Amino acid sequence: MKHLIRACAIAGLALLSQPAAAAVFFAAHPDDVVLFMGQNAFRDIRGGHPTVIVILTAGDAGNAALPNALGTEGNFDHNQQGKPYYRVRHDAHNAALAYWVSAGAPPAAVKTAERFSAQIPAVEKTLIGNVIVYNLNLPDGKLSQLLPGGVATALADITGRNRYTGATLKETVRQIVVRHHRGRRLVIVNLPEHDPGFAEMGYNERLMPDEHGNLLKKTRIDLLHPDHPDHTAVGRFVITALGEQPAMRCVYRAVYLGYAVQNLPAVMTPFELFSQEIAVFHRMNGVLIHQGNVIRQLGANQPLAGQDDPFHRSFLGKQQWRDAGGGSVCAFP
């Protein structure tokens, strides 16, 4: 996050003596921050800075093709112990974050809940050392339905405890930012790319060989690998929530590419890359295996435990973000 703070300074901030109390990372699924925002998140977490991670969906839609030991699909997917798939993903995510907090003595996850309104009375909240995780548990794959022009006016989370409209989801986003930055002047919010039409050389545009492999042509790498619609929806909700209220416009916004980073070279140091690989393929994968989850490897006839696969490995060591504005003095009460 140090280079984010430097970017704030370049934008005119004279606040380097007062770093953010807690950077906030918004993402769609329980492994998105570790995979796509991993360098900045790791530096914040391992550096001991209070860090807030907000996961908007439950991540419950994947791996539904194989029946589980109980013969049922849906939220259980094919867990061999009859556990809801999204709960296992939460535990796997928590294990990865705990490793980043302390490799030698990962702290236990302390689970609680927080109230945001009468409609949002019990958002799942987990404390892991200097990290706070909010799991909003909205249905995976349906978040865009709450955007303007979407087919849904409201969505219940998959636990049935909370019911969100587009307006209450944006207000929840704002409240999380404010509650963790009261009295702080510099506030940094990290979010997925929200604008599918945005193009900038060096960010999502590259000079790449043409179809004959010789002449270079300008290519949108995010069009080669389009992002998950949940990633884009999270970005749109967050950027709109921050822009709707003048008091929130002070927030510095860092916007990250998703699936397109697989086309980019690694940017992490060897130690950061090692720590990311341990978090993803040892801690996360270990929990998935231990708690009974399996996936089908592409091209294989038999399901394999965990998710140590070429697709997830293609993101390791890579991160790409852009400055989306903000960065003035905040004064949240």
Side-chain angles (χ1 to χ4, degrees):
M1 191 58 66
K2 289 181 180 178
H3 56 299
L4 290 186
I5 295 175
R6 286 197 296 271
C8 291
I10 292 171
L13 282 175
L15 300 172
L16 291 183
S17 62
Q18 296 193 31
V24 185
F25 293 83
F26 288 94
H29 309 110
D31 55 5
D32 287 352
V33 169
V34 178
L35 287 173
F36 304 119
M37 307 174 181
Q39 185 178 51
N40 289 342
F42 174 76
R43 290 177 178 180
D44 284 350
I45 293 170
R46 184 57 65 87
H49 304 294
T51 304
V52 180
I53 295 175
V54 186
I55 307 299
L56 271 71
T57 83
D60 59 307
N63 297 345
L66 298 173
N68 62 31
L70 303 181
T72 59
E73 294 185 359
N75 290 337
F76 287 94
D77 295 319
H78 51 275
N79 183 279
Q80 302 304 298
Q81 299 175 16
K83 296 180 180 179
Y85 173 57
Y86 80 99
R87 289 293 181 198
V88 181
R89 287 196 75 180
H90 287 354
D91 290 345
H93 184 217
N94 292 342
L97 297 176
Y99 172 76
W100 277 5
V101 171
S102 174
V110 180
K111 298 181 180 182
T112 179
E114 189 157 343
R115 177 186 176 89
F116 290 94
S117 68
Q119 294 76 33
I120 322 294
V123 173
E124 294 183 6
K125 180 179 180 181
T126 304
L127 309 179
I128 310 169
N130 57 299
V131 179
I132 295 174
V133 183
Y134 289 98
N135 288 303
L136 273 57
N137 288 327
L138 283 160
D140 194 350
K142 297 183 179 180
L143 193 58
S144 61
Q145 295 179 9
L146 285 181
L147 290 169
V151 299
T153 57
L155 285 176
D157 73 18
I158 65 173
T159 72
R161 298 189 184 101
N162 306 296
R163 185 172 180 83
Y164 294 86
T165 64
T168 59
L169 181 56
K170 289 183 289 185
E171 180 58 24
T172 302
V173 165
R174 288 189 288 263
Q175 286 195 39
I176 289 173
V177 173
V178 170
R179 290 183 189 192
H180 293 281
H181 291 89
R182 286 191 173 101
R184 301 290 174 172
R185 302 175 67 194
L186 175 60
V187 180
I188 300 173
V189 170
N190 303 268
L191 61 141
E193 177 57 66
H194 60 92
D195 184 0
F198 184 86
E200 184 178 85
M201 181 59 69
Y203 170 65
N204 60 349
E205 289 184 331
R206 290 290 188 275
L207 291 176
M208 302 181 70
D210 66 10
E211 58 272 18
H212 303 295
N214 41 38
L215 296 177
L216 295 177
K217 61 179 181 179
K218 187 166 65 174
T219 303
R220 283 273 304 273
I221 60 173
D222 56 325
L223 299 181
L224 297 177
H225 294 280
D227 215 355
H228 193 296
D230 278 347
H231 297 175
T232 306
V234 169
R236 288 183 63 185
F237 274 114
V238 174
I239 206 74
T240 304
L242 298 178
E244 282 181 346
Q245 291 191 358
M248 303 295 297
R249 294 173 190 167
C250 64
V251 171
Y252 182 84
R253 286 151 277 175
V255 176
Y256 294 73
L257 283 182
Y259 289 161
V261 298
Q262 62 190 282
N263 298 286
L264 301 178
V267 297
M268 291 186 183
T269 67
F271 176 70
E272 290 169 342
L273 176 58
F274 170 80
S275 297
Q276 186 188 36
E277 183 166 10
I278 293 295
V280 174
F281 293 121
H282 293 255
R283 296 302 188 267
M284 281 189 178
N285 210 41
V287 170
L288 290 170
I289 294 170
H290 179 71
Q291 295 195 18
N293 272 70
V294 294
I295 68 167
R296 184 186 298 278
Q297 188 178 42
L298 294 177
N301 294 323
Q302 298 296 324
L304 301 175
Q307 54 178 172
D308 191 344
D309 57 86
F311 177 69
H312 288 89
R313 281 197 172 276
S314 69
F315 306 127
L316 291 190
K318 302 171 184 179
Q319 177 187 269
Q320 182 79 346
W321 64 275
R322 65 179 177 90
D323 179 344
S328 60
V329 175
C330 289
F332 298 141

